[in-house]
Amino acid sequence: QVQLAESGGGLVQAGDSLRVSCVVSVRSLSGYAVAWFRQTPGKDREFVAAMSRTGGYAYYGDPVKGRFTISRDNGKSTVYLQMNSLKPEDTAVYYCTVGNRVITSSLRSHTAYDYWGQGTQVTVSA
């Protein structure tokens, strides 16, 4: 069973930066699509960012485009999300997820992924 462990969340002020990380219990992330989603109470899980199995291109949700950057280190089996210019509306639990059968057209769909972490809380104060 593949396990994911997020870290790096916390409480920051609006305008600050934060990087969250996700270590995946596989030898290499090569061949896996990786993504971040976020969720607030009472709302559906929202797509944040993803990279395809080939890792050649990154995709972003409109609310975070230009502020967040997803990256991956296949050898370290780690996924990162760099978050800049944070806003109070970015407050959420951030989830890391991976899948080795995700096609490009499904990268933004949380149902396409097989394995999920427990989430890390990010809180942005005004």
Side-chain angles (χ1 to χ4, degrees), residues 56-115:
Y57 194 75
Y59 302 81
Y60 296 95
D62 287 342
V64 307
K65 201 171 295 184
R67 299 187 297 122
F68 290 13
T69 302
I70 186 173
S71 61
R72 60 196 291 169
D73 187 326
N74 288 345
K76 293 184 178 180
S77 299
T78 304
V79 187
Y80 304 98
L81 184 67
Q82 177 68 43
M83 302 180 286
N84 298 330
S85 302
L86 282 160
K87 304 175 181 180
E89 50 263 46
D90 294 318
T91 295
V93 177
Y94 283 72
Y95 295 93
C96 176
T97 182
V98 302
N100 56 8
R101 299 172 296 174
V102 184
I103 59 176
T104 301
S105 60
S106 298
L107 283 170
R108 297 171 183 266
S109 173
H110 66 89
T111 60
Y113 295 87
D114 300 309
Y115 307 104

Side-chain angles (χ1 to χ4, degrees), residues 7-13 15-21 67-69 80-86 90 92 94 120-124:
S7 62
L11 172 63
V12 297
Q13 294 185 331
D16 284 352
S17 297
L18 193 66
R19 189 178 79 162
V20 291
S21 303
R67 299 187 297 122
F68 290 13
T69 302
Y80 304 98
L81 184 67
Q82 177 68 43
M83 302 180 286
N84 298 330
S85 302
L86 282 160
D90 294 318
Y94 283 72
T120 185
Q121 176 71 46
V122 173
T123 303
V124 185

